[in-house]
Amino acid sequence: MKLSRALDGRLREIVRMGHPVLRERAAEVAAERFGTRFLRDLGRDLIRTMHEGGGVGLAAPQIAVPLRVIAYYLPAEDATPELPPRVLVNPHLTLLGQPDEPGWEGCLSIPGLRGLVPRHARLRVDAFDVDGDPIAFEAEGLHARVIQHEVDHLDGILFLDRMPTMAELFFEEEWDRWAGRKDLPVEV
Ligand SMILES: [Zn+2]
């Protein structure tokens, strides 16, 4: 989806940790909803709201829509070339490799915090676009991390739940000052 078109979407309110929708399992999107204005608008709204919030991913439950839909993109500095905004419906992940690749994550529903989270370094995705066409690909690194983070939202899981220790949870301002000195990786 082209960014200019995606930004036609509406800006939606992002719910924060504590809202019960973030702890529920989101429902599969029914086949009859593929290709509808409802689902296309939901995809565009997710992308617009993600960009306005300064995030690289957003799941439908984060705008209080309990459906299995996520949006994400990768900026040019993290992917070569930039991966334009993408919407995945009913994503199914096949996790590959060891589940212990550490990396920093933040979340638009947990603003101001950043934590070190182990994830699978690679995965395979089987999903649909908003029109119901199948999408299948493999992802690794930050790409794989963003997808795991967003799909966790569809199962009521937050990145905090994946952290082995709260000692590696930072406010962003403190992270800028201290993460490097603690000999923790500083790339996000
Ligand atoms: Zn999140």
Side-chain angles (χ1 to χ4, degrees):
M1 190 180 292
K2 283 236 165 57
L3 184 56
S4 53
R5 235 189 92 214
L7 292 180
D8 292 345
R10 283 194 303 134
L11 185 59
R12 306 277 287 260
E13 182 189 352
I14 297 176
V15 299
R16 298 192 301 174
M17 182 170 60
H19 192 300
V21 72
L22 293 175
R23 289 308 194 175
E24 294 166 5
R25 186 181 188 279
E28 305 278 337
V29 173
E32 56 264 31
R33 277 188 144 161
F34 285 116
T36 60
R37 182 164 186 176
F38 167 82
L39 196 56
R40 291 177 177 178
D41 285 351
L42 176 59
R44 281 199 284 265
D45 290 357
L46 283 170
I47 291 171
R48 166 95 193 273
T49 305
M50 169 182 78
H51 276 287
E52 298 275 348
V56 295
L58 194 65
Q62 293 182 274
I63 57 169
V65 176
L67 290 174
R68 302 185 78 78
V69 182
I70 68 169
Y72 71 94
Y73 90 112
L74 294 177
E77 59 261 36
D78 298 314
T80 316
E82 174 189 55
L83 188 72
R86 176 181 274 175
V87 175
L88 301 179
V89 181
N90 295 345
H92 174 78
L93 305 187
T94 304
L95 300 169
L96 303 171
Q98 295 299 309
D100 55 2
E101 183 80 12
W104 294 97
E105 297 186 19
C107 181
L108 292 173
S109 294
I110 313 172
L113 290 175
R114 190 172 292 175
L116 196 60
V117 184
R119 297 283 188 187
H120 287 264
R122 278 195 319 121
L123 51 74
R124 177 185 161 82
V125 180
D126 289 280
F128 298 91
D129 68 14
V130 293
D131 293 317
D133 291 323
I135 302 173
F137 60 94
E138 285 198 9
E140 59 183 8
L142 181 68
H143 191 185
R145 175 173 301 280
V146 170
I147 291 170
Q148 287 170 85
H149 178 118
E150 298 311 328
V151 171
D152 266 356
H153 277 301
L154 307 182
D155 294 321
I157 297 168
L158 301 174
F159 82 82
L160 300 176
D161 304 327
R162 298 286 191 191
M163 292 180 60
T165 168
M166 291 297 126
E168 290 159 352
L169 182 66
F170 288 71
F171 283 106
E172 284 171 356
E173 290 89 351
E174 303 295 340
W175 183 88
D176 289 339
R177 291 165 61 193
W178 299 107
R181 294 193 209 180
K182 285 186 69 174
D183 206 25
L184 296 168
V186 291
E187 292 87 32
V188 177

